[in-house]
Protein backbone atom coordinates (compact mmCIF):
# COMPACT_ATOMS: atom_id res chain seq x y z
CA UNK A 1 0.00 0.00 0.00
CA UNK A 2 1.34 3.43 -0.96
CA UNK A 3 2.27 5.83 1.82
CA UNK A 4 1.22 9.32 0.67
CA UNK A 5 0.83 11.14 3.99
CA UNK A 6 2.96 14.18 3.16
CA UNK A 7 1.73 17.58 1.94
CA UNK A 8 3.40 19.93 -0.55
CA UNK A 9 3.93 23.32 1.11
CA UNK A 10 6.33 26.14 0.21
CA UNK A 11 8.17 24.13 -2.42
CA UNK A 12 8.81 20.98 -0.41
CA UNK A 13 7.17 17.81 0.85
CA UNK A 14 6.47 17.95 4.56
CA UNK A 15 4.87 15.83 7.25
CA UNK A 16 1.48 16.90 8.63
CA UNK A 17 1.53 18.94 11.81
CA UNK A 18 -1.48 17.01 13.05
CA UNK A 19 -3.49 14.81 10.77
CA UNK A 20 -5.72 11.76 10.87
CA UNK A 21 -4.77 8.93 8.51
CA UNK A 22 -7.24 7.82 5.85
CA UNK A 23 -7.12 4.81 3.54
CA UNK A 24 -7.66 5.42 -0.17
CA UNK A 25 -9.92 2.65 -1.47
CA UNK A 26 -9.59 1.09 -4.91
CA UNK A 27 -13.25 0.96 -6.03
CA UNK A 28 -12.63 -2.04 -8.29
CA UNK A 29 -11.53 -4.21 -5.39
CA UNK A 30 -12.81 -2.40 -2.26
CA UNK A 31 -9.28 -2.73 -0.88
CA UNK A 32 -6.99 0.03 0.40
CA UNK A 33 -4.39 1.07 -2.17
CA UNK A 34 -2.81 4.01 -0.32
CA UNK A 35 -2.88 5.94 2.92
CA UNK A 36 -2.99 9.73 3.18
CA UNK A 37 -3.26 12.19 6.05
CA UNK A 38 -6.15 14.61 6.46
CA UNK A 39 -4.70 17.99 7.29
CA UNK A 40 -5.51 19.97 10.39
CA UNK A 41 -5.90 23.70 10.92
CA UNK A 42 -2.16 24.16 11.39
CA UNK A 43 -1.44 22.51 8.04
CA UNK A 44 -3.99 24.74 6.32
CA UNK A 45 -2.54 27.83 7.98
CA UNK A 46 0.99 26.88 6.92
CA UNK A 47 -0.06 26.41 3.30
CA UNK A 48 -2.01 29.69 3.20
CA UNK A 49 0.91 31.53 4.83
CA UNK A 50 3.29 30.18 2.19
CA UNK A 51 0.93 31.31 -0.58
CA UNK A 52 0.49 34.74 1.00
CA UNK A 53 4.25 35.26 1.33
CA UNK A 54 4.82 34.27 -2.30
CA UNK A 55 2.00 36.46 -3.66
CA UNK A 56 3.79 39.82 -4.18
CA UNK A 57 6.66 38.30 -6.14
CA UNK A 58 4.41 36.15 -8.33
CA UNK A 59 1.61 38.69 -8.74
CA UNK A 60 3.97 41.32 -10.16
CA UNK A 61 6.16 38.92 -12.13
CA UNK A 62 6.52 39.29 -15.88
CA UNK A 63 3.59 37.52 -17.58
CA UNK A 64 6.15 35.93 -19.90
CA UNK A 65 7.71 34.26 -16.85
CA UNK A 66 4.35 32.82 -15.84
CA UNK A 67 3.73 31.57 -19.36
CA UNK A 68 7.15 29.91 -19.46
CA UNK A 69 6.35 28.04 -16.25
CA UNK A 70 3.07 26.74 -17.66
CA UNK A 71 4.88 25.59 -20.80
CA UNK A 72 7.33 23.64 -18.62
CA UNK A 73 4.41 22.16 -16.66
CA UNK A 74 2.91 20.94 -19.93
CA UNK A 75 6.11 19.13 -20.88
CA UNK A 76 6.44 17.55 -17.43
CA UNK A 77 2.79 16.53 -17.54
CA UNK A 78 3.27 14.77 -20.86
CA UNK A 79 6.31 12.95 -19.47
CA UNK A 80 4.28 11.71 -16.47
CA UNK A 81 1.15 10.80 -18.47
CA UNK A 82 1.28 7.07 -17.72
CA UNK A 83 1.84 7.66 -14.01
CA UNK A 84 -1.14 9.98 -14.04
CA UNK A 85 -3.35 7.50 -15.90
CA UNK A 86 -2.49 4.70 -13.47
CA UNK A 87 -3.19 6.92 -10.45
CA UNK A 88 -6.59 8.05 -11.75
CA UNK A 89 -7.62 4.53 -12.71
CA UNK A 90 -6.70 3.12 -9.31
CA UNK A 91 -8.18 5.88 -7.16
CA UNK A 92 -11.55 6.52 -8.83
CA UNK A 93 -12.15 3.52 -11.09
CA UNK A 94 -11.81 4.87 -14.61
CA UNK A 95 -10.91 1.94 -16.93
CA UNK A 96 -7.23 2.24 -17.77
CA UNK A 97 -7.75 2.80 -21.49
CA UNK A 98 -10.29 5.54 -20.76
CA UNK A 99 -7.98 6.97 -18.11
CA UNK A 100 -5.22 7.27 -20.71
CA UNK A 101 -7.35 8.55 -23.58
CA UNK A 102 -9.78 10.88 -21.77
CA UNK A 103 -9.06 11.44 -18.09
CA UNK A 104 -5.33 12.16 -18.35
CA UNK A 105 -5.48 13.94 -21.70
CA UNK A 106 -8.09 16.37 -20.37
CA UNK A 107 -5.20 17.96 -18.46
CA UNK A 108 -3.01 18.18 -21.57
CA UNK A 109 -5.93 19.70 -23.49
CA UNK A 110 -6.66 22.41 -20.94
CA UNK A 111 -3.03 23.38 -20.34
CA UNK A 112 -2.47 23.72 -24.09
CA UNK A 113 -5.63 25.77 -24.54
CA UNK A 114 -4.75 28.14 -21.70
CA UNK A 115 -1.36 28.76 -23.29
CA UNK A 116 -3.17 29.87 -26.46
CA UNK A 117 -5.79 31.90 -24.59
CA UNK A 118 -3.12 33.78 -22.63
CA UNK A 119 -2.21 35.68 -25.80
CA UNK A 120 -5.61 37.42 -25.61
CA UNK A 121 -5.26 38.62 -22.00
CA UNK A 122 -4.18 42.27 -21.68
CA UNK A 123 -3.01 43.21 -18.20
CA UNK A 124 -2.81 46.96 -18.97
CA UNK A 125 -4.84 48.58 -21.74
CA UNK A 126 -6.39 51.99 -22.55
CA UNK A 127 -9.99 52.60 -21.64
CA UNK A 128 -10.60 54.24 -25.02
CA UNK A 129 -9.76 57.19 -27.24
CA UNK A 130 -12.19 59.36 -25.29
CA UNK A 131 -10.08 59.00 -22.12
CA UNK A 132 -6.38 58.99 -23.14
CA UNK A 133 -5.13 59.10 -19.52
CA UNK A 134 -7.29 56.20 -18.31
CA UNK A 135 -6.04 52.64 -18.06
CA UNK A 136 -7.69 49.35 -17.20
CA UNK A 137 -5.38 47.13 -15.18
CA UNK A 138 -6.04 43.45 -14.59
CA UNK A 139 -4.25 41.92 -11.65
CA UNK A 140 -4.34 38.71 -9.65
CA UNK A 141 -7.20 38.17 -7.20
CA UNK A 142 -4.64 36.98 -4.66
CA UNK A 143 -4.38 33.78 -2.63
CA UNK A 144 -6.77 31.17 -3.99
CA UNK A 145 -8.19 28.01 -2.45
CA UNK A 146 -8.80 25.42 -5.16
CA UNK A 147 -11.08 22.58 -4.09
CA UNK A 148 -11.45 19.81 -6.66
CA UNK A 149 -13.60 16.64 -7.01
CA UNK A 150 -12.85 12.99 -7.67
CA UNK A 151 -14.76 12.32 -10.88
CA UNK A 152 -12.49 14.08 -13.42
CA UNK A 153 -9.43 14.84 -11.27
CA UNK A 154 -7.03 16.36 -13.80
CA UNK A 155 -9.75 18.04 -15.79
CA UNK A 156 -10.62 20.10 -12.72
CA UNK A 157 -7.12 20.57 -11.33
CA UNK A 158 -5.82 21.91 -14.65
CA UNK A 159 -8.90 24.14 -15.10
CA UNK A 160 -8.09 25.83 -11.80
CA UNK A 161 -4.33 25.73 -11.22
CA UNK A 162 -3.20 26.81 -14.69
CA UNK A 163 -5.36 29.96 -15.09
CA UNK A 164 -4.59 30.93 -11.49
CA UNK A 165 -0.86 30.67 -12.24
CA UNK A 166 -1.18 32.69 -15.45
CA UNK A 167 -3.20 35.39 -13.68
CA UNK A 168 -0.46 35.77 -11.06
CA UNK A 169 -2.32 34.13 -8.17
CA UNK A 170 -0.78 31.88 -5.55
CA UNK A 171 -2.78 28.94 -4.31
CA UNK A 172 -3.58 26.03 -2.04
CA UNK A 173 -5.04 22.95 -3.74
CA UNK A 174 -7.27 20.60 -1.77
CA UNK A 175 -8.11 17.58 -3.93
CA UNK A 176 -10.82 15.12 -3.03
CA UNK A 177 -9.74 12.85 -0.20
CA UNK A 178 -11.41 9.99 -2.08
CA UNK A 179 -9.11 10.36 -5.09
CA UNK A 180 -5.96 12.24 -4.02
CA UNK A 181 -3.25 10.21 -5.78
CA UNK A 182 -3.43 12.00 -9.13
CA UNK A 183 -3.02 15.37 -7.40
CA UNK A 184 0.07 14.09 -5.63
CA UNK A 185 1.51 13.28 -9.06
CA UNK A 186 0.43 16.78 -10.15
CA UNK A 187 2.33 18.34 -7.23
CA UNK A 188 5.42 16.38 -8.28
CA UNK A 189 4.99 17.79 -11.79
CA UNK A 190 4.70 21.33 -10.44
CA UNK A 191 7.90 20.84 -8.44
CA UNK A 192 9.80 19.37 -11.37
CA UNK A 193 8.72 22.29 -13.58
CA UNK A 194 10.40 24.75 -11.21
CA UNK A 195 7.35 26.42 -9.66
CA UNK A 196 8.61 29.12 -7.24
CA UNK A 197 8.28 28.33 -3.54
CA UNK A 198 4.87 29.07 -2.09
CA UNK A 199 3.16 29.73 -5.42
CA UNK A 200 1.57 26.27 -5.45
CA UNK A 201 0.74 24.33 -2.29
CA UNK A 202 -1.28 21.17 -1.72
CA UNK A 203 -2.91 19.88 1.46
CA UNK A 204 -5.05 16.75 1.58
CA UNK A 205 -8.20 16.87 3.65
CA UNK A 206 -11.94 16.47 3.64
CA UNK A 207 -14.63 19.10 3.14
CA UNK A 208 -15.60 19.63 6.79
CA UNK A 209 -11.92 19.94 7.71
CA UNK A 210 -9.48 21.56 5.28
CA UNK A 211 -12.27 22.60 2.90
CA UNK A 212 -14.04 24.60 5.60
CA UNK A 213 -10.77 26.00 6.91
CA UNK A 214 -9.82 27.28 3.46
CA UNK A 215 -13.21 28.70 2.49
CA UNK A 216 -13.41 30.73 5.70
CA UNK A 217 -9.73 31.67 5.97
CA UNK A 218 -9.11 35.40 6.38
CA UNK A 219 -6.01 35.28 4.14
CA UNK A 220 -7.70 33.47 1.25
CA UNK A 221 -9.01 35.91 -1.35
CA UNK A 222 -10.91 33.48 -3.58
CA UNK A 223 -12.35 29.97 -3.47
CA UNK A 224 -12.80 27.99 -6.66
CA UNK A 225 -14.84 24.87 -5.96
CA UNK A 226 -16.15 22.04 -8.11
CA UNK A 227 -18.52 19.53 -6.54
CA UNK A 228 -22.03 19.10 -5.25
CA UNK A 229 -24.56 21.90 -5.01
CA UNK A 230 -25.00 21.11 -1.31
CA UNK A 231 -21.28 21.65 -0.65
CA UNK A 232 -21.24 24.75 -2.86
CA UNK A 233 -23.96 26.35 -0.72
CA UNK A 234 -22.04 25.55 2.47
CA UNK A 235 -18.83 27.03 1.03
CA UNK A 236 -20.66 30.19 -0.06
CA UNK A 237 -22.06 30.71 3.42
CA UNK A 238 -18.69 30.14 5.07
CA UNK A 239 -16.88 32.41 2.61
CA UNK A 240 -19.40 35.21 3.10
CA UNK A 241 -17.87 36.09 6.47
CA UNK A 242 -14.76 37.39 4.68
CA UNK A 243 -16.49 38.55 1.47
CA UNK A 244 -14.05 36.57 -0.68
CA UNK A 245 -14.77 35.77 -4.29
CA UNK A 246 -16.42 32.37 -4.76
CA UNK A 247 -16.40 30.46 -8.05
CA UNK A 248 -18.69 27.42 -8.15
CA UNK A 249 -19.02 24.63 -10.70
CA UNK A 250 -21.76 22.41 -9.31
CA UNK A 251 -24.23 19.72 -10.27
CA UNK A 252 -26.32 19.17 -13.35
CA UNK A 253 -29.31 17.29 -14.67
CA UNK A 254 -28.74 17.68 -18.38
CA UNK A 255 -31.65 17.32 -20.80
CA UNK A 256 -30.86 15.65 -24.11
CA UNK A 257 -33.72 16.69 -26.41
CA UNK A 258 -34.16 14.29 -29.31
CA UNK A 259 -36.58 15.48 -31.98
CA UNK A 260 -38.25 13.16 -34.48
CA UNK A 261 -35.96 14.54 -37.21
CA UNK A 262 -32.76 13.69 -35.31
CA UNK A 263 -30.05 11.64 -37.01
CA UNK A 264 -30.31 7.86 -36.63
CA UNK A 265 -27.43 7.64 -34.14
CA UNK A 266 -28.74 10.29 -31.76
CA UNK A 267 -30.29 7.96 -29.19
CA UNK A 268 -27.33 5.59 -29.10
CA UNK A 269 -24.95 8.53 -28.84
CA UNK A 270 -26.94 10.01 -25.97
CA UNK A 271 -27.13 6.75 -24.00
CA UNK A 272 -23.40 6.11 -24.39
CA UNK A 273 -22.70 9.67 -23.26
CA UNK A 274 -24.85 9.15 -20.17
CA UNK A 275 -22.95 5.97 -19.24
CA UNK A 276 -19.50 7.42 -19.97
CA UNK A 277 -17.25 7.61 -16.88
CA UNK A 278 -19.89 5.36 -15.25
CA UNK A 279 -22.28 8.31 -15.27
CA UNK A 280 -20.05 10.31 -12.94
CA UNK A 281 -20.04 13.61 -14.84
CA UNK A 282 -21.88 16.78 -13.88
CA UNK A 283 -22.68 17.45 -17.55
CA UNK A 284 -23.99 13.93 -18.30
CA UNK A 285 -27.21 13.91 -20.40
CA UNK A 286 -29.19 11.94 -17.83
CA UNK A 287 -32.67 13.10 -18.91
CA UNK A 288 -33.39 11.96 -22.46
CA UNK A 289 -36.40 13.89 -23.78
CA UNK A 290 -37.78 12.12 -26.86
CA UNK A 291 -40.46 13.38 -29.24
CA UNK A 292 -43.53 11.15 -29.10
CA UNK A 293 -43.31 10.02 -32.76
CA UNK A 294 -40.07 8.10 -32.14
CA UNK A 295 -40.41 7.43 -28.42
CA UNK A 296 -40.95 3.65 -28.51
CA UNK A 297 -38.00 3.08 -30.82
CA UNK A 298 -35.79 5.31 -28.70
CA UNK A 299 -36.62 3.30 -25.58
CA UNK A 300 -35.71 0.09 -27.38
CA UNK A 301 -32.44 1.53 -28.67
CA UNK A 302 -31.47 2.78 -25.22
CA UNK A 303 -32.25 -0.66 -23.76
CA UNK A 304 -29.96 -2.29 -26.31
CA UNK A 305 -27.14 0.16 -25.55
CA UNK A 306 -27.43 -0.47 -21.81
CA UNK A 307 -27.43 -4.23 -22.22
CA UNK A 308 -24.39 -4.09 -24.49
CA UNK A 309 -22.43 -1.79 -22.16
CA UNK A 310 -19.86 -3.99 -20.44
CA UNK A 311 -18.83 -3.41 -16.83
CA UNK A 312 -15.44 -4.44 -15.53
CA UNK A 313 -12.39 -3.69 -13.39
CA UNK A 314 -10.55 -0.43 -14.01
CA UNK A 315 -7.25 -2.27 -14.41
CA UNK A 316 -8.44 -4.22 -17.45
CA UNK A 317 -8.03 -2.93 -20.99
CA UNK A 318 -11.16 -2.56 -23.08
CA UNK A 319 -14.21 -0.44 -23.84
CA UNK A 320 -16.13 -1.10 -20.64
CA UNK A 321 -17.24 1.13 -17.80
CA UNK A 322 -15.70 0.73 -14.37
CA UNK A 323 -17.09 0.90 -10.85
CA UNK A 324 -18.45 4.01 -9.22
CA UNK A 325 -16.04 5.66 -6.85
CA UNK A 326 -17.14 4.57 -3.36
CA UNK A 327 -19.51 2.59 -1.18
CA UNK A 328 -21.40 5.79 -0.38
CA UNK A 329 -21.87 6.54 -4.06
CA UNK A 330 -22.94 2.95 -4.78
CA UNK A 331 -25.52 3.07 -2.00
CA UNK A 332 -26.91 6.41 -3.16
CA UNK A 333 -27.37 5.12 -6.71
CA UNK A 334 -29.07 1.94 -5.49
CA UNK A 335 -31.47 3.99 -3.38
CA UNK A 336 -32.36 6.20 -6.34
CA UNK A 337 -32.90 3.21 -8.64
CA UNK A 338 -35.29 1.78 -6.04
CA UNK A 339 -37.02 5.16 -5.81
CA UNK A 340 -37.50 5.19 -9.57
CA UNK A 341 -39.15 1.78 -9.41
CA UNK A 342 -41.30 2.76 -6.43
CA UNK A 343 -42.51 5.97 -8.09
CA UNK A 344 -43.71 4.09 -11.17
CA UNK A 345 -41.01 4.58 -13.79
CA UNK A 346 -40.73 1.61 -16.17
CA UNK A 347 -37.42 -0.22 -15.74
CA UNK A 348 -36.30 -1.41 -19.17
CA UNK A 349 -32.64 -2.26 -18.49
CA UNK A 350 -30.35 -2.75 -15.53
CA UNK A 351 -31.73 -2.18 -12.07
CA UNK A 352 -30.70 -2.97 -8.54
CA UNK A 353 -27.54 -4.78 -7.50
CA UNK A 354 -24.24 -5.49 -9.17
CA UNK A 355 -23.94 -6.88 -12.69
CA UNK A 356 -24.19 -10.65 -12.92
CA UNK A 357 -21.09 -12.48 -11.70
CA UNK A 358 -19.77 -9.57 -9.63
CA UNK A 359 -19.85 -9.70 -5.85
CA UNK A 360 -17.07 -7.27 -4.98
CA UNK A 361 -16.33 -3.75 -6.18
CA UNK A 362 -18.69 -0.79 -6.52
CA UNK A 363 -20.16 -1.89 -9.84
CA UNK A 364 -23.55 -0.61 -10.99
CA UNK A 365 -25.71 -2.07 -13.75
CA UNK A 366 -26.22 0.36 -16.67
CA UNK A 367 -29.85 1.28 -16.09
CA UNK A 368 -32.60 2.76 -18.27
CA UNK A 369 -35.98 3.99 -17.05
CA UNK A 370 -38.80 4.82 -19.49
CA UNK A 371 -42.13 6.60 -18.97
CA UNK A 372 -40.47 9.02 -16.58
CA UNK A 373 -42.15 12.34 -15.83
CA UNK A 374 -40.33 15.42 -14.63
CA UNK A 375 -41.86 15.24 -11.15
CA UNK A 376 -40.17 11.92 -10.34
CA UNK A 377 -37.14 11.93 -8.07
CA UNK A 378 -34.91 10.33 -10.71
CA UNK A 379 -35.74 13.21 -13.06
CA UNK A 380 -34.94 15.88 -10.49
CA UNK A 381 -31.96 14.66 -8.45
CA UNK A 382 -28.42 14.27 -9.76
CA UNK A 383 -27.83 10.51 -9.52
CA UNK A 384 -24.16 10.52 -10.60
CA UNK A 385 -24.26 6.97 -11.89
CA UNK A 386 -25.06 5.11 -15.14
CA UNK A 387 -28.81 5.74 -14.94
CA UNK A 388 -30.79 7.18 -17.87
CA UNK A 389 -34.34 8.54 -17.55
CA UNK A 390 -36.41 8.78 -20.76
CA UNK A 391 -39.22 11.35 -20.86
CA UNK A 392 -41.64 11.79 -23.80
CA UNK A 393 -42.57 15.24 -25.18
CA UNK A 394 -45.01 16.46 -27.79
CA UNK A 395 -43.76 19.75 -29.22
CA UNK A 396 -40.85 22.18 -29.26
CA UNK A 397 -42.48 24.28 -26.55
CA UNK A 398 -43.13 21.17 -24.49
CA UNK A 399 -39.45 20.17 -24.73
CA UNK A 400 -38.28 23.61 -23.60
CA UNK A 401 -40.68 23.57 -20.65
CA UNK A 402 -39.53 20.15 -19.43
CA UNK A 403 -35.84 20.85 -20.02
CA UNK A 404 -35.91 24.12 -18.08
CA UNK A 405 -38.02 22.71 -15.25
CA UNK A 406 -35.05 21.96 -13.00
CA UNK A 407 -32.99 23.75 -10.38
CA UNK A 408 -29.90 22.98 -12.47
CA UNK A 409 -28.60 24.69 -15.58
CA UNK A 410 -25.26 23.24 -16.66
CA UNK A 411 -25.41 21.50 -20.07
CA UNK A 412 -28.33 20.72 -22.34
CA UNK A 413 -28.23 18.86 -25.63
CA UNK A 414 -30.31 19.13 -28.81
CA UNK A 415 -30.60 16.58 -31.64
CA UNK A 416 -32.32 17.75 -34.84
CA UNK A 417 -31.55 18.08 -38.53
CA UNK A 418 -33.46 21.38 -38.61
CA UNK A 419 -30.89 24.16 -38.17
CA UNK A 420 -33.43 26.89 -37.41
CA UNK A 421 -34.99 24.71 -34.71
CA UNK A 422 -31.59 24.03 -33.15
CA UNK A 423 -30.81 27.74 -33.04
CA UNK A 424 -34.16 28.53 -31.40
CA UNK A 425 -33.57 25.85 -28.78
CA UNK A 426 -30.06 27.10 -28.04
CA UNK A 427 -31.50 30.53 -27.20
CA UNK A 428 -34.37 29.23 -25.06
CA UNK A 429 -32.64 26.59 -22.94
CA UNK A 430 -31.54 27.88 -19.54
CA UNK A 431 -28.07 26.39 -19.31
CA UNK A 432 -24.51 27.60 -19.42
CA UNK A 433 -23.76 25.25 -22.32
CA UNK A 434 -25.79 23.76 -25.17
CA UNK A 435 -24.27 21.07 -27.39
CA UNK A 436 -26.09 20.00 -30.54
CA UNK A 437 -25.97 16.99 -32.86
CA UNK A 438 -23.03 15.42 -31.04
CA UNK A 439 -20.69 18.33 -31.62
CA UNK A 440 -18.46 19.07 -28.63
CA UNK A 441 -17.53 22.59 -27.60
CA UNK A 442 -14.42 23.97 -29.30
CA UNK A 443 -11.04 24.64 -27.70
CA UNK A 444 -11.22 27.61 -25.36
CA UNK A 445 -15.01 27.54 -24.95
CA UNK A 446 -16.13 28.42 -21.41
CA UNK A 447 -17.43 25.69 -19.10
CA UNK A 448 -19.98 26.63 -16.45
CA UNK A 449 -23.62 26.81 -15.52
CA UNK A 450 -26.61 28.82 -14.38
CA UNK A 451 -28.98 28.52 -11.43
CA UNK A 452 -27.89 25.83 -8.94
CA UNK A 453 -25.23 24.58 -11.34
CA UNK A 454 -23.00 27.41 -10.18
CA UNK A 455 -21.39 30.61 -11.40
CA UNK A 456 -18.22 31.68 -13.16
CA UNK A 457 -16.66 30.07 -16.18
CA UNK A 458 -13.69 27.74 -16.62
CA UNK A 459 -11.56 27.40 -19.73
CA UNK A 460 -10.19 29.83 -22.30
CA UNK A 461 -9.94 33.56 -21.69
CA UNK A 462 -12.98 33.39 -19.36
CA UNK A 463 -11.17 30.93 -17.13
CA UNK A 464 -8.17 33.24 -16.72
CA UNK A 465 -10.36 36.32 -16.17
CA UNK A 466 -12.08 34.57 -13.27
CA UNK A 467 -8.78 34.87 -11.37
CA UNK A 468 -8.28 38.56 -12.21
CA UNK A 469 -9.45 41.76 -10.56
CA UNK A 470 -10.16 44.82 -12.71
CA UNK A 471 -8.69 48.16 -11.64
CA UNK A 472 -9.66 51.50 -13.23
CA UNK A 473 -6.85 54.12 -13.26
CA UNK A 474 -7.15 57.78 -14.31
CA UNK A 475 -4.33 60.29 -14.72
CA UNK A 476 -2.01 57.74 -16.29
CA UNK A 477 1.29 59.29 -17.38
CA UNK A 478 1.54 58.40 -21.06
CA UNK A 479 5.01 59.81 -21.39
CA UNK A 480 6.27 57.42 -18.68
CA UNK A 481 5.11 54.17 -20.32
Amino acid sequence: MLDKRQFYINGQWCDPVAGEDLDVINPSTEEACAVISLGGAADTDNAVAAAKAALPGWMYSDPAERLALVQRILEEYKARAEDMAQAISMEMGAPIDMSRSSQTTSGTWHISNFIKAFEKVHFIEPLGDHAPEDRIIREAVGVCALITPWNWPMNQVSLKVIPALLAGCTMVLKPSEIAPLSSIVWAEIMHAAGTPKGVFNMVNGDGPGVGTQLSGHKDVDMVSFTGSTRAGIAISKNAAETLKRVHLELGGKGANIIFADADEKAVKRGALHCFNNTGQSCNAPTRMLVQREMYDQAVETAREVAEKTAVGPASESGRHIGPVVSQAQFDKIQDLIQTGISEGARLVAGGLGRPEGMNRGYYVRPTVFADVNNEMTIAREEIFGPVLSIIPFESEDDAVRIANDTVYGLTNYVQSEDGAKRNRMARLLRAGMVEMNGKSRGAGAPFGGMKQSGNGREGGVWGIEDFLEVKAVSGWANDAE
Side-chain angles (χ1 to χ4, degrees):
M1 188 166 66
L2 300 174
D3 187 336
K4 298 293 182 181
R5 285 178 284 191
Q6 289 190 314
F7 305 145
Y8 186 78
I9 299 175
N10 204 29
Q12 61 185 348
W13 293 97
C14 55
D15 294 328
V17 175
E20 176 186 346
D21 287 350
L22 177 73
D23 285 343
V24 179
I25 303 300
N26 182 331
S28 292
T29 64
E30 301 185 42
E31 296 176 355
C33 60
V35 60
I36 63 169
S37 282
L38 302 179
D43 301 298
T44 303
D45 287 344
N46 288 343
V48 172
K52 183 178 179 181
L55 180 62
W58 188 245
M59 181 177 182
Y60 297 113
S61 63
D62 187 337
E65 178 186 345
R66 303 199 291 270
L67 177 61
L69 172 61
V70 171
Q71 290 168 331
R72 295 196 301 272
I73 291 169
L74 177 59
E75 294 310 308
E76 291 289 342
Y77 188 92
K78 290 177 180 177
R80 296 292 302 276
E82 182 60 21
D83 293 337
M84 186 65 77
Q86 293 289 344
I88 293 172
S89 183
M90 181 166 60
E91 69 187 1
M92 59 76 59
I96 187 59
D97 289 352
M98 185 262 190
S99 186
R100 289 175 179 135
S101 65
S102 298
Q103 286 276 4
T104 299
T105 54
S106 67
T108 315
W109 170 259
H110 291 311
I111 299 170
S112 300
N113 288 335
F114 278 126
I115 289 171
K116 295 175 184 175
F118 196 55
E119 299 173 359
K120 301 176 182 177
V121 178
H122 303 288
F123 288 91
I124 301 179
E125 63 181 348
L127 174 63
D129 293 340
H130 67 289
E133 294 182 350
D134 280 39
R135 292 294 181 273
I136 300 299
I137 296 177
R138 292 177 176 85
E139 64 184 33
V141 169
V143 175
C144 298
L146 312 178
I147 304 175
T148 56
W150 47 260
N151 60 322
W152 285 90
M154 284 304 105
N155 183 73
Q156 293 307 136
V157 168
S158 60
L159 277 172
K160 297 183 189 300
V161 172
I162 298 302
L165 283 175
L166 290 170
C169 296
T170 58
M171 66 210 70
V172 180
L173 170 67
K174 189 209 84 66
S176 169
E177 72 279 12
I178 296 175
L181 304 181
S182 54
S183 288
I184 292 171
V185 176
W186 174 273
E188 293 170 353
I189 290 169
M190 297 290 288
H191 184 81
T195 305
K197 290 182 179 181
V199 169
F200 170 84
N201 307 274
M202 188 198 75
V203 177
N204 281 315
D206 58 16
V210 174
T212 298
Q213 293 155 19
L214 285 171
S215 61
H217 203 289
K218 64 181 179 61
D219 291 329
V220 169
D221 301 294
M222 173 178 172
V223 178
S224 180
F225 169 77
T226 298
S228 71
T229 297
R230 175 196 55 77
I233 292 169
I235 284 171
S236 297
K237 290 179 178 179
N238 195 38
E241 292 291 331
T242 49
L243 291 177
K244 56 173 57 69
R245 183 183 294 189
V246 178
H247 170 117
L248 302 173
E249 197 278 282
L250 307 175
K253 195 67 182 177
N256 184 12
I257 302 168
I258 302 180
F259 286 97
D261 62 353
D263 68 271
E264 62 181 11
K265 296 181 180 179
V267 174
K268 179 180 179 180
R269 184 170 64 238
L272 288 172
H273 191 174
C274 176
F275 299 148
N276 185 48
N277 203 41
T278 320
Q280 299 171 121
S281 300
C282 53
N283 61 345
T286 53
R287 288 186 299 155
M288 181 178 283
L289 279 53
V290 182
Q291 197 157 22
R292 183 71 69 179
E293 294 94 305
M294 61 174 295
Y295 179 76
D296 291 341
Q297 181 56 53
V299 170
E300 177 62 19
T301 299
R303 180 192 65 79
E304 292 174 356
V305 171
E307 292 180 350
K308 290 178 180 177
T309 298
V311 182
S315 59
E316 292 184 1
S317 182
R319 299 186 65 182
H320 57 281
I321 64 173
V324 296
V325 74
S326 66
Q327 182 72 56
Q329 193 66 21
F330 178 86
D331 292 343
K332 174 191 173 186
I333 295 165
Q334 297 300 308
D335 288 346
L336 284 165
I337 291 173
Q338 180 59 62
T339 299
I341 295 169
S342 300
E343 291 184 357
R346 176 162 57 100
L347 181 67
V348 298
L352 294 167
R354 294 179 174 86
E356 187 176 349
M358 292 181 165
N359 57 15
R360 191 166 180 79
Y362 308 127
Y363 299 102
V364 174
R365 301 170 68 188
T367 297
V368 175
F369 282 105
D371 303 345
V372 177
N373 66 63
N374 220 39
E375 300 308 310
M376 292 180 176
T377 303
I378 58 173
R380 304 203 75 80
E381 291 193 17
E382 186 179 40
I383 299 174
F384 233 58
V387 181
L388 177 65
S389 297
I390 306 181
I391 303 171
F393 73 88
E394 304 295 340
S395 65
E396 197 172 322
D397 289 344
D398 196 27
V400 171
R401 177 187 60 79
I402 296 170
N404 287 342
D405 181 20
T406 174
V407 298
Y408 296 109
L410 189 58
T411 313
N412 284 331
Y413 302 82
V414 179
Q415 321 297 328
S416 171
E417 295 294 278
D418 184 334
K421 183 191 297 180
R422 292 201 309 273
N423 291 353
R424 286 194 301 272
M425 294 295 291
R427 294 291 300 274
L428 294 171
L429 293 170
R430 292 281 295 155
M433 297 168 286
V434 180
E435 298 183 11
M436 302 191 283
N437 284 0
K439 185 173 179 58
S440 299
R441 290 168 296 109
F447 187 102
M450 301 177 181
K451 302 190 285 186
Q452 290 190 25
S453 287
N455 52 48
R457 292 296 181 267
E458 294 185 318
V461 173
W462 295 270
I464 300 171
E465 288 181 343
D466 252 14
F467 290 92
L468 292 170
E469 296 280 16
V470 177
K471 180 188 294 183
V473 178
S474 59
W476 186 265
N478 294 310
D479 56 357
E481 287 188 283

